[in-house]
Amino acid sequence: ADVGAFAGKPEHDRLGADGAYTSNSVSDRAYAWDRTKKCIDIANAVGSKAIVLWLAREGTYIREAKDAKLAYQRLLETVNAMLDYDKNIEIWIEPKPNEPTDQAYVPTIGHALTLSYASKDHKRVKGLIESAHAMLAGLDASDEMAFALAHDKLASVHLNDQKAGSSEDRHRPCSRPRWRWAGRRAAPPSSACRSNRPGA
């Protein structure tokens, strides 16, 4: 439920920029929950047994901007509310340490599995390892996978390229990442690349 996916539409530009579920804004959190329910409904309509919960916007650019303990409580409340909303759906948490936010609250699979075990039905809350996200955290993706496997919680894997030492995600072929470190926008892709992308 990446509320930030609506960037570029004027009415949604600010929504999710401060996180969705952990936002200090009550109305932004309500909007995120509404979008989450719609996401689950769509998953059911297309026959998907799971949704991916990408929490990379759930964090801060300035640590003093949020109460971290409250933020973790809000994330757990959201996971539990999702489990209550649909008694069959699985939640696959995809951790990421930074970008677009500077410091995320769920940076590693260990954090994701802690949320899982704290939830009301941990058997339906699993992890999705994105190899480049593990590298962004300074970890080896195979170790992250092994940790999830040891807990029988590796739901899926995204194999991805990551330039060593880079803070940028590099999984969009033929284009630059949308965000740079500290939230600065990257330059748009060249017109040649743009024409090769689906829907371009």
Side-chain angles (χ1 to χ4, degrees), residues 43-127:
N44 283 318
V46 299
S48 175
K49 70 171 189 172
I51 62 167
V52 174
L53 193 58
W54 182 77
L55 298 170
R57 283 198 180 274
E58 306 302 337
T60 60
Y61 293 101
I62 301 169
R63 269 311 193 216
E64 293 78 12
K66 291 182 187 174
D67 177 335
K69 181 180 177 186
L70 179 59
Y72 283 114
Q73 290 170 344
R74 286 176 174 162
L75 288 173
L76 180 58
E77 288 167 4
T78 299
V79 169
N80 283 335
M82 293 166 74
L83 293 169
D84 282 340
Y85 183 75
D86 186 296
K87 299 298 184 184
N88 298 307
I89 200 83
E90 287 188 0
I91 301 166
W92 297 356
I93 299 174
E94 179 180 353
K96 189 175 184 188
N98 56 35
E99 196 264 331
T101 193
D102 279 355
Q103 293 181 319
Y105 288 125
V106 184
T108 69
I109 196 64
H111 291 79
L113 296 193
T114 299
L115 265 178
S116 168
Y117 284 123
S119 74
K120 58 174 52 182
D121 187 359
H122 78 86
K123 291 182 179 177
R124 290 197 289 139
V125 184
K126 301 178 180 178

Side-chain angles (χ1 to χ4, degrees), residues 7-62:
K9 297 180 182 178
E11 68 273 23
H12 298 299
D13 274 350
R14 68 172 188 81
L15 295 176
D18 184 40
Y21 309 120
T22 62
S23 174
N24 291 324
S25 164
V26 173
S27 61
D28 284 3
R29 292 196 309 273
Y31 177 80
W33 176 237
D34 180 60
R35 298 302 301 177
T36 300
K37 290 185 290 185
K38 289 179 183 178
C39 179
I40 294 171
D41 293 343
I42 291 168
N44 283 318
V46 299
S48 175
K49 70 171 189 172
I51 62 167
V52 174
L53 193 58
W54 182 77
L55 298 170
R57 283 198 180 274
E58 306 302 337
T60 60
Y61 293 101
I62 301 169

